[in-house]
Amino acid sequence: MGSKEASSCTIFCFLLLSFVGCKCLASVIEATQTATLKVDASPQLSRKIPETLFGIFFEEINHAGAGGIWAELVSNRGFEAGGPHTPSNIDPWSIIGDDSSIFVATDRTSCFSRNIVALRMEVLCNDCPAGGVGIYNPGFWGMNIEDGKTYNLVMYVKSPETTDLTVSLTSSDGLQNLASATITVSGSSNWTKLEQKFVAKGTNRTSRLQITTNKKGVVWFDQVSLMPADTYKGHGFRTELISMILELKPRFLRFPGGCFVEGGWLRNAFRWRESIGSWEERPGHFGDVWHYWTDDGLGYYEFLQLAEDLGAAPIWVFNNGISHNDEVDTAAIAPFVKDVLDSLEFARGSAESTWGSVRAAMGHPEPFPVKYVAIGNEDCGKKFYRGNYLKFYNAIREAYPDIQMISNCDGSSRPLDHPADLYDFHVYTDSKTLFSMRNTFDRTSRSGPKAFVSEYAVWRSDAGRGSLLASLAEAAFLTGLEKNSDIVQMASYAPLFVNDNDQTWNPDAIVFNSWQHYGTPSYWMQTLFRESSGAMIHPITISSSYSSSLAGSAITWQDSENSFLRVKVVNFGSDAVSLTISTSGLQATVNALGSTAMVMTSSNVMDENSFSNPNKIVPVKSELRNAAEQMQVTLAPHSFTSFDLALAQSKLVAEM
């Protein structure tokens, strides 16, 4: 991933003339600034970075889950999105035919008690049009149906008379038939579960699912689901999007929000109980902060499963009785506390416990290792937050003494007035401000709870939809977190995903639609920090009249075979820099063989990646032929460079 076309040699020359064998004009890369970066790798000054430092934060925003990583292709599959009162809006479902041939309306006749709405379809025509009449669902801005792939249909149907239904995957106009099957519904007053596999005979990126018949009569439908068969580990996630996450090697997964957890009003907050159990019984809910319906197929259990699949520690962010517009008085918070304790029993309890048995029945008898919880999201200033917080804190501490609890109140500049293991730190700002914040935690007390920088990003005017400039400021900020990782335990970018059809929040790390995806520069920047968690950090000093535009860090890390000294440098300025890197105190020699450089830059700081050019700004790898304990390199203007110096005969294995 992340390869560039032939022009990459020119970029290498521009950045790394002193150690790359490309031929190009020296005048093109003439440095106007000089700097020295010294690394002290002596063991007595090194420190281990927490194993948990860099992870990911997933929020249901921008259709990141529904119509995103969750692979369900049908939107509003249970007809519940229009609300419990019928008749209701069935969007995005629509009819095939006209009002003289078909009449559809929701009613409250479903066999599922937790989501009672179903769709009644009455066929009015005796001599129906060729192809029949019926209903169709376009999914989330079109279904991606691919030639040769298998799709699994499940739907519940009821009809008083025996009826043949034709279920098809077609183009958006219904003219291209990609797969089709005729299913007979036996006449009965009872609901029937129907299942059908489809193998696509063609590709269409904006397909729809349609259900038609030629027979006059009445048919009811409910819980119509279409899932691709090739989801990640069979757990319901889009494989290609999960692959993007895996590239980051996340050490934790914070979920499911964000503001999604709070809700604009508590009645619309995420409720874990209603997101577990069989998918057919999940009522779904309207996320009133980000303004769309989710059927909660991606629920509490699926998030825990995803964390396990990623090898990441789950961080459960729960509602503490506070939304954007209403709050529960601390005197009445007890039911909310019990609800959270039940959620922890669901995750951690034995298969014989009340809620652990529900988890086991869903297919996971072994507990999930939930060791971190966040008590609310961005609620510190709310009237009842501290009172509610203490109720949750004390109850969880008594029931689960090992769980680390995260406060919403920032403790970076002053001590907290309540107990906590960690505290949230969120920052969304412009690039210059975030670059200047690389030293933010230098002045933070070394005692007390640790910092969890759970949301950071450059946004607004100089961020675009993910600019190079934004990623440079973020990279500089992260070098500061590495340096201060004695008090910063975790950090994650936000938001992680955006569906290109719902750009509610920009920028984001990963952009996708039904069939394409790419990483923004902020995504690729994070890949150069994925080895930092659990590595050894070493002090550096940068000497230059230009040092206010430079940021960096140095770590030693190892893969399955080799050890490396990684020196990362951000040049935030508009001048090229001749940089001398010198290292002392290494317990091994530097080997030019196997040493590499990775460079992110572009000719314009506001350049972005796109579907048409997904690799415009990605780390470009080259051999570091002059790698040594002292070497001279050239940094391009507005660039982020990571130098990996291979270490021979290393003693680092014993130390790390």
Side-chain angles (χ1 to χ4, degrees), residues 320-322 327-337 383-392:
N320 66 104
I322 296 175
E327 302 181 44
V328 175
D329 191 303
T330 301
I333 200 65
F336 288 76
V337 175
K383 179 179 179 180
F384 294 112
Y385 180 70
R386 282 169 172 77
N388 291 1
Y389 174 92
L390 289 173
K391 293 289 188 180
F392 285 102

Side-chain angles (χ1 to χ4, degrees), residues 46-61:
S46 64
R47 173 176 46 80
K48 187 172 183 178
I49 295 174
E51 296 282 354
T52 55
L53 185 58
F54 292 123
I56 57 172
F57 164 45
F58 181 92
E59 177 164 16
E60 181 60 271
I61 181 177

Side-chain angles (χ1 to χ4, degrees), residues 66 154 167 198 283 295 300 303 342 363 397 540 560 628:
V154 178
V167 184
F198 294 97
D295 60 29
Y300 182 52
F303 280 116
D342 289 346
R397 182 62 81 220
I540 69 166
S560 59

